[in-house]
Amino acid sequence: MTTFTNRLLGAAIGAAVALGAHAALADMAIKFSLDWKYEGPAAPYLLAKKNGYFEEEGLDVTIDSGNGSVGAITRVASGAYDLSLADINSLVEFNASNPDRAMKSIFMVYDRPPFALFMLKSSGITKPEDLVGKTLGAPVFDASRKLYPAFASATGLDLDAVIWESMDPPLREPMLVRGDVDAISGHYFTSILNLQAQGVAKDDLTVFMYKDFGMDFYGNGILASPDMMENHPEEVKGFLRGVVKGWAAAIADPQSAIDALKEVDPLINPDLELQRLQMAIDENVVTPATLEEGMGLVKADRMAKAIDQVALAFGFENKPSVDDIYTDEFMPSAEDRMLK
């Protein structure tokens, strides 16, 4: 073998080793849990993966569907997942009940919460006090149901004034339509469109949005495991940059996000999920605050008020502070947070 050939071979081996080392560095595996099924609001995360935004940050992200915020929180608390999307108010309750496993939200996604109660107009329910003696239905882990004590406190209702009936998620809206329950709780963009699919027009519904009754809560945010925060802070920051890029791309072209969603779940109804995504964008993500300051930030005074309301509703003995619930330590720069 000639000296020239040896040099070529050595160069090829060196390049292969360098490429292999780069690939190893660029492939940190991260498991991310959604709060719910592969529906429209999940599409921006899948679009971020499809467009390579996570890969650009040196991350190999697996995105799994969820079964509610409580499940998304416990997935991270157990160490099964590195990050998840979950209702920050459910995190308040979790931390108060599990101080030895307390975690923090690191990024707010829903600047306005989607929590709501839904009634058919034919029920005659037009104000909160009309719920007295009525039967409300929802899965036991539904965030709006779990926060109902705060809604009751804010509206002067006795907690024992209503009866709750539990059911699996696919039965929630059909049971309302059939009259098996008088009202249901749920995320606005979920139940409105599920009821529409059941043949109920929006004009035939009465909706109590929690935010309209003095409950200025935040909604779903991203939380990270203690291991991720302590040992992989740069990867956490990179993940959040990818999330913002995914949402910005979905806002600019919602159909591209739904196309990414359909690749993961071919059984979705694209038109329905496009509507659901647009509702989440308009109602929960794009707000005056996020347009001015970008995604992710939490105002301490607003969060403190929400913690007070949740603590009052659930009777916490040891109320968490804002710093116990949220940190901006991993927040992307102002430029990297902007949606447009």
Side-chain angles (χ1 to χ4, degrees):
M1 188 176 293
T2 67
T3 301
F4 179 71
T5 303
N6 282 335
R7 287 176 179 173
L8 284 178
L9 181 59
I13 292 172
V17 170
L19 285 172
H22 177 74
L25 289 172
D27 284 336
M28 179 179 170
I30 286 182
K31 292 190 67 178
F32 175 59
S33 172
L34 298 167
D35 64 323
W36 195 234
K37 298 182 290 184
Y38 291 125
E39 294 184 338
Y45 309 97
L46 299 169
L47 182 62
K49 180 173 182 176
K50 179 181 178 181
N51 285 357
Y53 301 148
F54 296 131
E55 186 177 1
E56 290 171 3
E57 299 289 347
L59 305 175
D60 178 14
V61 179
T62 300
I63 303 172
D64 290 336
S65 62
N67 60 359
S69 284
V70 175
I73 292 169
T74 56
R75 280 179 169 183
V76 175
S78 69
Y81 283 77
D82 302 301
L83 301 111
S84 70
L85 178 70
D87 167 40
I88 196 169
N89 307 287
S90 297
L91 181 62
V92 172
E93 181 191 5
F94 178 88
N95 284 359
S97 303
N98 302 274
D100 56 324
R101 294 194 294 162
M103 293 179 295
K104 293 184 180 182
S105 179
I106 59 173
F107 187 89
M108 186 51 55
V109 177
Y110 294 159
D111 186 59
R112 283 194 297 246
F115 314 131
L117 300 176
F118 306 83
M119 292 70 58
L120 299 178
K121 281 189 175 176
S122 58
S123 70
I125 299 171
T126 61
K127 53 189 182 299
E129 48 264 45
D130 294 335
L131 293 170
V132 174
K134 303 298 185 182
T135 299
L136 281 62
V140 293
F141 51 77
D142 173 64
S144 297
R145 173 175 177 172
K146 292 182 72 65
L147 287 172
Y148 177 80
F151 174 84
S153 176
T155 55
L157 291 175
D158 190 318
L159 275 180
D160 297 328
V162 304
I163 301 168
W164 279 96
E165 183 168 339
S166 301
M167 72 280 294
D168 291 333
L171 299 178
R172 170 171 37 193
E173 288 79 17
M175 289 184 70
L176 179 66
V177 174
R178 291 198 304 264
D180 296 334
V181 294
D182 301 299
I184 59 174
S185 67
H187 276 21
Y188 182 75
F189 50 69
T190 295
S191 288
I192 283 284
L193 294 181
N194 288 353
L195 286 164
Q196 178 179 303
Q198 292 284 319
V200 180
K202 186 177 178 181
D203 289 344
D204 293 328
L205 292 169
T206 297
V207 181
F208 296 160
M209 294 289 290
Y210 284 12
K211 66 181 180 64
D212 295 332
F213 292 89
M215 302 169 68
D216 192 20
F217 289 167
Y218 285 101
N220 286 27
I222 292 172
L223 58 92
S225 69
D227 175 68
M228 286 296 294
M229 291 193 291
E230 181 177 353
N231 298 315
H232 304 284
E234 294 307 314
E235 287 81 1
V236 172
K237 293 175 185 177
F239 178 82
L240 295 180
R241 286 192 292 267
V243 166
V244 177
K245 288 181 180 179
W247 273 102
I251 291 167
D253 183 4
Q255 185 59 57
S256 69
I258 298 304
D259 292 342
L261 180 66
K262 189 170 176 59
E263 289 181 15
V264 175
D265 186 355
L267 299 181
I268 67 163
N269 179 329
D271 293 338
L272 184 66
E273 297 312 326
L274 181 61
Q275 292 183 65
R276 202 186 310 273
L277 171 59
Q278 194 63 59
M279 288 174 69
I281 290 171
D282 295 341
E283 295 289 336
N284 310 114
V285 176
V286 178
T287 68
T290 59
L291 286 176
E292 180 180 353
E293 300 178 302
M295 286 186 78
L297 295 176
V298 162
K299 301 290 188 184
D301 56 346
R302 180 179 166 193
M303 189 70 234
K305 180 181 176 182
I307 291 173
D308 286 344
Q309 289 181 310
V310 174
L312 178 65
F314 289 100
F316 296 153
E317 293 184 4
N318 299 311
K319 183 177 66 176
S321 69
V322 174
D323 289 339
D324 293 330
I325 299 299
Y326 169 82
T327 178
D328 62 2
E329 179 182 352
F330 308 95
M331 193 63 58
S333 68
E335 180 180 358
D336 289 336
R337 292 197 307 270
M338 301 310 293
L339 291 170
K340 293 183 179 179

